[in-house]
Amino acid sequence: MANNLNVQPGAASPRKSALVSLVLLACLGMGYLGGWLSSHNHNLNNSSNTSRQQVVLNESQLTRDIASQVGPSVVSIDVTTQTSQTDFFGFNQPTQQQGAGTGFIISSDGVILTNRHVVPAGVTNVRVTLSDGTQLKDVSVIGRTSDSDSLDIAFLKINNTQAKKLAPITIGDSSKVQVGDKVVAIGNALGQFQNTVTSGIISGYGRSVQAGDSSGAGTETLQDLFQTDAAINEGNSGGPLVDINSQVIGINTAIAGNAQSIGFAIPINDAKGLINSVLKQGKLLRPYLGIHYISLTDDVASQLNLSIKRGAYIAPASAGQPSIIDGSPAQKAGLQEKDIITKVNNIDVGATNSLTAVLGRFNVGDKVALTVIRNGKTITVQVALAAAPAG
């Protein structure tokens, strides 16, 4: 039997009333949920924007801190070089050329590291400008690597600091650098904008380039370089490339003239042997083996019909150029032409480390173990490194 319900006109039934209540509650709930989601998303967006702004602010602060810490160690270098030019009548006339570059202080008594091409042969006058604008004119050239050396390095000495307290830079470890690491370059951009600061990342390493000045007067082969997208311009040469710890990990040395955001720097570890010799003995002593070698690549190995693809191949003697220099450490150690040096003290010699660059990490007098491939067999050769002859 169906239940009879007493329904008053204009009043809803209990079941219908409950349904309406549920619908109202659902609408209110959805409205609240929508408002909460909207508010939450707004908060998330604000949080995301805040995070992005915080990252930008942190990076900006980091760059400022690096520039503040490293800036006092960076100097602008101006040089006068004596050259000669042929006049209309065919006579050589002496002339002077002005040049500019960058360097950085590596000792409190005024030793400066820079590029060889910043202070070329024939320099008659060198002056440096500190970060505070002080000009120091009593500056001498301690030494520079030879023009045929793939390591473009020179050292200067401030003889009279005018009572200025110098701030040596902190030397880092370039072997720890990885592609993508943030770096900052500081230098005398274009020879007129002192202590210009630019930032970027390490774009690559183990690069080899043919470098020359804007006049096209000559070129040099540079090996084992860092590639960076930090803006480097003429005048930046010899300046420091530093990491986020404000430690120098590279020496800015070249730019790609036909491209943008491609600069190159010498890894600081490649110069540590020279730095030690200058700081300890007051002169530049370049450790060397005394061989003429070819850096192996896939193509070179294929042309020479070699199964070994990486290493330093001691080239056979050719007209006027012996494979091994008489009286050199290589000759005394018994190295032979067509030997392939693959390691120096377990440091690989290859695409990212030329033999010259690896040797630059050691000091004159160091005894090193060379891993050598000779006639298909691997042998170890002990060598005492000597100083490269001048010139």
Side-chain angles (χ1 to χ4, degrees), residues 77-129:
I77 301 172
D78 294 286
V79 302
T80 302
T81 306
Q82 187 76 36
T83 62
S84 62
Q85 290 183 347
T86 304
D87 64 16
F88 179 77
F89 300 101
F91 296 103
N92 288 331
Q93 298 293 338
T95 183
Q96 291 185 338
Q97 290 185 345
Q98 305 297 320
T102 306
F104 51 91
I105 301 167
I106 60 173
S107 73
S108 58
D109 62 348
V111 177
I112 295 170
L113 190 154
T114 186
N115 282 147
R116 174 182 65 224
H117 71 266
V118 171
V119 285
V123 164
T124 58
N125 181 266
V126 181
R127 61 187 183 277
V128 302
T129 304

Side-chain angles (χ1 to χ4, degrees), residues 63-298:
T63 303
R64 285 197 297 269
D65 290 344
I66 292 171
S68 175
Q69 293 179 49
V70 178
S73 304
V74 181
V75 301
S76 298
I77 301 172
D78 294 286
V79 302
T80 302
T81 306
Q82 187 76 36
T83 62
S84 62
Q85 290 183 347
T86 304
D87 64 16
F88 179 77
F89 300 101
F91 296 103
N92 288 331
Q93 298 293 338
T95 183
Q96 291 185 338
Q97 290 185 345
Q98 305 297 320
T102 306
F104 51 91
I105 301 167
I106 60 173
S107 73
S108 58
D109 62 348
V111 177
I112 295 170
L113 190 154
T114 186
N115 282 147
R116 174 182 65 224
H117 71 266
V118 171
V119 285
V123 164
T124 58
N125 181 266
V126 181
R127 61 187 183 277
V128 302
T129 304
L130 303 180
S131 61
D132 65 0
T134 301
Q135 287 195 349
L136 303 175
K137 298 181 179 180
D138 188 0
V139 181
S140 58
V141 179
I142 294 176
R144 53 197 299 279
T145 54
S146 67
D147 291 339
S148 61
D149 197 323
S150 63
L151 198 59
D152 186 355
I153 295 293
F155 293 89
L156 308 176
K157 176 66 167 63
I158 300 173
N159 301 310
N160 183 0
T161 65
Q162 297 181 14
K164 285 287 183 179
K165 186 176 181 180
L166 304 180
I169 204 166
T170 302
I171 304 295
D173 184 357
S174 56
S175 69
K176 297 180 179 179
V177 175
Q178 298 182 16
V179 172
D181 283 355
K182 181 178 177 60
V183 289
V184 171
I186 304 178
N188 184 18
L190 302 179
Q192 56 184 314
F193 301 115
Q194 185 181 356
N195 276 39
T196 297
V197 177
T198 57
S199 65
I201 62 169
I202 294 293
S203 307
Y205 57 89
R207 306 301 199 217
S208 296
V209 299
Q210 290 287 331
D213 60 27
S214 57
S215 68
T219 61
E220 55 186 354
T221 300
L222 305 176
Q223 299 176 326
D224 190 36
L225 302 177
F226 286 136
Q227 179 185 332
T228 178
D229 67 351
I232 297 175
N233 299 283
E234 290 187 25
N236 278 105
S237 289
L241 187 70
V242 297
D243 62 15
I244 60 173
N245 297 313
S246 300
Q247 297 181 349
V248 58
I249 49 87
I251 307 155
N252 300 322
T253 192
I255 58 174
N258 58 347
Q260 293 183 344
S261 300
I262 299 181
F264 300 95
I266 299 168
I268 195 65
N269 284 14
D270 293 357
K272 283 186 174 178
L274 299 183
I275 292 172
N276 289 336
S277 73
V278 169
L279 295 183
K280 292 179 180 179
Q281 302 185 48
K283 55 184 177 180
L284 189 154
L285 298 174
R286 179 74 157 117
Y288 94 126
L289 281 178
I291 63 174
H292 289 102
Y293 72 90
I294 300 171
S295 294
L296 293 181
T297 64
D298 291 347

